[in-house]
Amino acid sequence: MSATAQTTDSPLSDKQRRILEYLRDNADEQTYFKSRLIGDELGLSAKEVGTNMTAIANGDHDLAVEKWGYSSSTTWMVDA
């Protein structure tokens, strides 16, 4: 698939694509992800991650993403 086709087929923003790629890269080794820690890895704030995770969770992707907990940062359960 060409980059153009991916862009056309995916309504995700650049931040959302970066987060999704991070989750794909790490979902085999980890199930739970904190917004704060994702943000640290990607140079985003926890709030930016949380705001953009909603689009990923609601989208049709190869990962199942569910909001899981709220202690010290929102935690997301990711199933590959």
PDB file of all heavy atoms in Angstrom, residues 48-69:
ATOM      1  N   GLU A  48      -2.173  15.325  25.872  1.00  0.00           N
ATOM      2  CA  GLU A  48      -2.184  15.123  24.413  1.00  0.00           C
ATOM      3  C   GLU A  48      -2.394  13.653  24.071  1.00  0.00           C
ATOM      4  O   GLU A  48      -3.159  13.323  23.164  1.00  0.00           O
ATOM      5  CB  GLU A  48      -0.863  15.583  23.794  1.00  0.00           C
ATOM      6  CG  GLU A  48      -0.681  17.071  23.701  1.00  0.00           C
ATOM      7  CD  GLU A  48       0.687  17.441  23.167  1.00  0.00           C
ATOM      8  OE1 GLU A  48       1.705  17.083  23.805  1.00  0.00           O
ATOM      9  OE2 GLU A  48       0.735  18.081  22.103  1.00  0.00           O
ATOM     10  N   VAL A  49      -1.727  12.782  24.809  1.00  0.00           N
ATOM     11  CA  VAL A  49      -1.875  11.345  24.557  1.00  0.00           C
ATOM     12  C   VAL A  49      -3.310  10.920  24.829  1.00  0.00           C
ATOM     13  O   VAL A  49      -3.947  10.268  23.999  1.00  0.00           O
ATOM     14  CB  VAL A  49      -0.889  10.516  25.405  1.00  0.00           C
ATOM     15  CG1 VAL A  49      -1.190   9.024  25.273  1.00  0.00           C
ATOM     16  CG2 VAL A  49       0.547  10.803  24.994  1.00  0.00           C
ATOM     17  N   GLY A  50      -3.851  11.301  25.977  1.00  0.00           N
ATOM     18  CA  GLY A  50      -5.217  10.923  26.327  1.00  0.00           C
ATOM     19  C   GLY A  50      -6.242  11.413  25.330  1.00  0.00           C
ATOM     20  O   GLY A  50      -7.161  10.684  24.956  1.00  0.00           O
ATOM     21  N   THR A  51      -6.084  12.640  24.884  1.00  0.00           N
ATOM     22  CA  THR A  51      -7.005  13.210  23.902  1.00  0.00           C
ATOM     23  C   THR A  51      -6.950  12.438  22.591  1.00  0.00           C
ATOM     24  O   THR A  51      -7.979  12.157  21.976  1.00  0.00           O
ATOM     25  CB  THR A  51      -6.664  14.693  23.650  1.00  0.00           C
ATOM     26  OG1 THR A  51      -6.782  15.397  24.877  1.00  0.00           O
ATOM     27  CG2 THR A  51      -7.568  15.305  22.605  1.00  0.00           C
ATOM     28  N   ASN A  52      -5.765  12.056  22.169  1.00  0.00           N
ATOM     29  CA  ASN A  52      -5.601  11.364  20.893  1.00  0.00           C
ATOM     30  C   ASN A  52      -5.881   9.870  20.977  1.00  0.00           C
ATOM     31  O   ASN A  52      -6.198   9.242  19.966  1.00  0.00           O
ATOM     32  CB  ASN A  52      -4.199  11.624  20.343  1.00  0.00           C
ATOM     33  CG  ASN A  52      -4.066  13.034  19.832  1.00  0.00           C
ATOM     34  OD1 ASN A  52      -4.628  13.393  18.809  1.00  0.00           O
ATOM     35  ND2 ASN A  52      -3.343  13.871  20.560  1.00  0.00           N
ATOM     36  N   MET A  53      -5.773   9.286  22.161  1.00  0.00           N
ATOM     37  CA  MET A  53      -6.061   7.859  22.320  1.00  0.00           C
ATOM     38  C   MET A  53      -7.527   7.543  22.051  1.00  0.00           C
ATOM     39  O   MET A  53      -7.855   6.447  21.607  1.00  0.00           O
ATOM     40  CB  MET A  53      -5.680   7.390  23.725  1.00  0.00           C
ATOM     41  CG  MET A  53      -4.205   7.216  23.933  1.00  0.00           C
ATOM     42  SD  MET A  53      -3.502   5.819  23.055  1.00  0.00           S
ATOM     43  CE  MET A  53      -3.984   4.489  24.117  1.00  0.00           C
ATOM     44  N   THR A  54      -8.393   8.497  22.311  1.00  0.00           N
ATOM     45  CA  THR A  54      -9.822   8.276  22.066  1.00  0.00           C
ATOM     46  C   THR A  54     -10.076   7.948  20.600  1.00  0.00           C
ATOM     47  O   THR A  54     -10.835   7.029  20.285  1.00  0.00           O
ATOM     48  CB  THR A  54     -10.635   9.512  22.501  1.00  0.00           C
ATOM     49  OG1 THR A  54     -10.344   9.783  23.868  1.00  0.00           O
ATOM     50  CG2 THR A  54     -12.123   9.281  22.343  1.00  0.00           C
ATOM     51  N   ALA A  55      -9.434   8.673  19.687  1.00  0.00           N
ATOM     52  CA  ALA A  55      -9.599   8.411  18.253  1.00  0.00           C
ATOM     53  C   ALA A  55      -9.059   7.033  17.899  1.00  0.00           C
ATOM     54  O   ALA A  55      -9.646   6.318  17.071  1.00  0.00           O
ATOM     55  CB  ALA A  55      -8.886   9.483  17.432  1.00  0.00           C
ATOM     56  N   ILE A  56      -7.965   6.635  18.533  1.00  0.00           N
ATOM     57  CA  ILE A  56      -7.396   5.309  18.271  1.00  0.00           C
ATOM     58  C   ILE A  56      -8.325   4.233  18.824  1.00  0.00           C
ATOM     59  O   ILE A  56      -8.611   3.234  18.155  1.00  0.00           O
ATOM     60  CB  ILE A  56      -5.979   5.206  18.884  1.00  0.00           C
ATOM     61  CG1 ILE A  56      -5.042   6.181  18.167  1.00  0.00           C
ATOM     62  CG2 ILE A  56      -5.458   3.778  18.798  1.00  0.00           C
ATOM     63  CD1 ILE A  56      -3.706   6.382  18.845  1.00  0.00           C
ATOM     64  N   ALA A  57      -8.818   4.428  20.040  1.00  0.00           N
ATOM     65  CA  ALA A  57      -9.708   3.449  20.663  1.00  0.00           C
ATOM     66  C   ALA A  57     -11.005   3.292  19.876  1.00  0.00           C
ATOM     67  O   ALA A  57     -11.545   2.184  19.772  1.00  0.00           O
ATOM     68  CB  ALA A  57     -10.014   3.862  22.104  1.00  0.00           C
ATOM     69  N   ASN A  58     -11.513   4.382  19.304  1.00  0.00           N
ATOM     70  CA  ASN A  58     -12.767   4.344  18.557  1.00  0.00           C
ATOM     71  C   ASN A  58     -12.590   3.944  17.102  1.00  0.00           C
ATOM     72  O   ASN A  58     -13.575   3.682  16.415  1.00  0.00           O
ATOM     73  CB  ASN A  58     -13.467   5.706  18.631  1.00  0.00           C
ATOM     74  CG  ASN A  58     -13.939   6.025  20.029  1.00  0.00           C
ATOM     75  OD1 ASN A  58     -14.191   5.141  20.838  1.00  0.00           O
ATOM     76  ND2 ASN A  58     -14.045   7.298  20.335  1.00  0.00           N
ATOM     77  N   GLY A  59     -11.348   3.896  16.629  1.00  0.00           N
ATOM     78  CA  GLY A  59     -11.083   3.573  15.235  1.00  0.00           C
ATOM     79  C   GLY A  59     -11.035   2.085  14.977  1.00  0.00           C
ATOM     80  O   GLY A  59     -11.039   1.262  15.896  1.00  0.00           O
ATOM     81  N   ASP A  60     -10.989   1.745  13.702  1.00  0.00           N
ATOM     82  CA  ASP A  60     -10.908   0.350  13.275  1.00  0.00           C
ATOM     83  C   ASP A  60      -9.450   0.044  12.955  1.00  0.00           C
ATOM     84  O   ASP A  60      -9.001   0.235  11.824  1.00  0.00           O
ATOM     85  CB  ASP A  60     -11.809   0.132  12.053  1.00  0.00           C
ATOM     86  CG  ASP A  60     -11.845  -1.319  11.632  1.00  0.00           C
ATOM     87  OD1 ASP A  60     -11.519  -2.194  12.455  1.00  0.00           O
ATOM     88  OD2 ASP A  60     -12.205  -1.588  10.468  1.00  0.00           O
ATOM     89  N   HIS A  61      -8.706  -0.400  13.971  1.00  0.00           N
ATOM     90  CA  HIS A  61      -7.277  -0.670  13.828  1.00  0.00           C
ATOM     91  C   HIS A  61      -7.007  -2.116  14.222  1.00  0.00           C
ATOM     92  O   HIS A  61      -7.899  -2.809  14.703  1.00  0.00           O
ATOM     93  CB  HIS A  61      -6.464   0.291  14.705  1.00  0.00           C
ATOM     94  CG  HIS A  61      -6.774   1.726  14.447  1.00  0.00           C
ATOM     95  ND1 HIS A  61      -6.396   2.380  13.298  1.00  0.00           N
ATOM     96  CD2 HIS A  61      -7.468   2.629  15.175  1.00  0.00           C
ATOM     97  CE1 HIS A  61      -6.827   3.623  13.339  1.00  0.00           C
ATOM     98  NE2 HIS A  61      -7.488   3.803  14.467  1.00  0.00           N
ATOM     99  N   ASP A  62      -5.783  -2.538  14.056  1.00  0.00           N
ATOM    100  CA  ASP A  62      -5.418  -3.910  14.391  1.00  0.00           C
ATOM    101  C   ASP A  62      -5.181  -4.113  15.881  1.00  0.00           C
ATOM    102  O   ASP A  62      -4.767  -5.181  16.305  1.00  0.00           O
ATOM    103  CB  ASP A  62      -4.196  -4.347  13.580  1.00  0.00           C
ATOM    104  CG  ASP A  62      -3.009  -3.408  13.745  1.00  0.00           C
ATOM    105  OD1 ASP A  62      -3.206  -2.261  14.198  1.00  0.00           O
ATOM    106  OD2 ASP A  62      -1.891  -3.804  13.397  1.00  0.00           O
ATOM    107  N   LEU A  63      -5.458  -3.109  16.685  1.00  0.00           N
ATOM    108  CA  LEU A  63      -5.331  -3.188  18.134  1.00  0.00           C
ATOM    109  C   LEU A  63      -6.665  -2.846  18.787  1.00  0.00           C
ATOM    110  O   LEU A  63      -7.389  -1.981  18.310  1.00  0.00           O
ATOM    111  CB  LEU A  63      -4.295  -2.178  18.648  1.00  0.00           C
ATOM    112  CG  LEU A  63      -2.867  -2.302  18.177  1.00  0.00           C
ATOM    113  CD1 LEU A  63      -2.050  -1.127  18.708  1.00  0.00           C
ATOM    114  CD2 LEU A  63      -2.254  -3.607  18.622  1.00  0.00           C
ATOM    115  N   ALA A  64      -6.949  -3.527  19.885  1.00  0.00           N
ATOM    116  CA  ALA A  64      -8.110  -3.155  20.699  1.00  0.00           C
ATOM    117  C   ALA A  64      -7.584  -2.299  21.843  1.00  0.00           C
ATOM    118  O   ALA A  64      -6.691  -2.714  22.576  1.00  0.00           O
ATOM    119  CB  ALA A  64      -8.800  -4.394  21.236  1.00  0.00           C
ATOM    120  N   VAL A  65      -8.113  -1.091  21.980  1.00  0.00           N
ATOM    121  CA  VAL A  65      -7.652  -0.155  23.000  1.00  0.00           C
ATOM    122  C   VAL A  65      -8.846   0.214  23.882  1.00  0.00           C
ATOM    123  O   VAL A  65      -9.895   0.601  23.382  1.00  0.00           O
ATOM    124  CB  VAL A  65      -7.053   1.120  22.355  1.00  0.00           C
ATOM    125  CG1 VAL A  65      -6.633   2.113  23.415  1.00  0.00           C
ATOM    126  CG2 VAL A  65      -5.884   0.760  21.447  1.00  0.00           C
ATOM    127  N   GLU A  66      -8.643   0.081  25.191  1.00  0.00           N
ATOM    128  CA  GLU A  66      -9.716   0.371  26.140  1.00  0.00           C
ATOM    129  C   GLU A  66      -9.162   1.182  27.309  1.00  0.00           C
ATOM    130  O   GLU A  66      -8.111   0.860  27.856  1.00  0.00           O
ATOM    131  CB  GLU A  66     -10.279  -0.958  26.658  1.00  0.00           C
ATOM    132  CG  GLU A  66     -11.376  -0.833  27.660  1.00  0.00           C
ATOM    133  CD  GLU A  66     -11.844  -2.193  28.162  1.00  0.00           C
ATOM    134  OE1 GLU A  66     -11.572  -3.218  27.521  1.00  0.00           O
ATOM    135  OE2 GLU A  66     -12.487  -2.212  29.225  1.00  0.00           O
ATOM    136  N   LYS A  67      -9.887   2.235  27.677  1.00  0.00           N
ATOM    137  CA  LYS A  67      -9.499   3.020  28.852  1.00  0.00           C
ATOM    138  C   LYS A  67      -9.670   2.121  30.063  1.00  0.00           C
ATOM    139  O   LYS A  67     -10.712   1.507  30.262  1.00  0.00           O
ATOM    140  CB  LYS A  67     -10.380   4.260  28.978  1.00  0.00           C
ATOM    141  CG  LYS A  67      -9.862   5.242  30.009  1.00  0.00           C
ATOM    142  CD  LYS A  67     -10.744   6.453  30.124  1.00  0.00           C
ATOM    143  CE  LYS A  67     -10.454   7.426  29.009  1.00  0.00           C
ATOM    144  NZ  LYS A  67     -11.132   8.727  29.222  1.00  0.00           N
ATOM    145  N   TRP A  68      -8.624   2.021  30.885  1.00  0.00           N
ATOM    146  CA  TRP A  68      -8.613   1.018  31.947  1.00  0.00           C
ATOM    147  C   TRP A  68      -8.596   1.616  33.344  1.00  0.00           C
ATOM    148  O   TRP A  68      -9.304   1.164  34.219  1.00  0.00           O
ATOM    149  CB  TRP A  68      -7.402   0.111  31.739  1.00  0.00           C
ATOM    150  CG  TRP A  68      -7.439  -1.113  32.578  1.00  0.00           C
ATOM    151  CD1 TRP A  68      -6.691  -1.357  33.691  1.00  0.00           C
ATOM    152  CD2 TRP A  68      -8.272  -2.259  32.414  1.00  0.00           C
ATOM    153  NE1 TRP A  68      -6.990  -2.587  34.212  1.00  0.00           N
ATOM    154  CE2 TRP A  68      -7.968  -3.163  33.447  1.00  0.00           C
ATOM    155  CE3 TRP A  68      -9.251  -2.609  31.497  1.00  0.00           C
ATOM    156  CZ2 TRP A  68      -8.598  -4.387  33.572  1.00  0.00           C
ATOM    157  CZ3 TRP A  68      -9.878  -3.829  31.624  1.00  0.00           C
ATOM    158  CH2 TRP A  68      -9.550  -4.694  32.653  1.00  0.00           C
ATOM    159  N   GLY A  69      -7.781   2.602  33.616  1.00  0.00           N
ATOM    160  CA  GLY A  69      -7.687   3.145  34.964  1.00  0.00           C
ATOM    161  C   GLY A  69      -7.195   4.577  34.957  1.00  0.00           C
ATOM    162  O   GLY A  69      -6.772   5.088  33.929  1.00  0.00           O
TER     163      GLY A  69
END
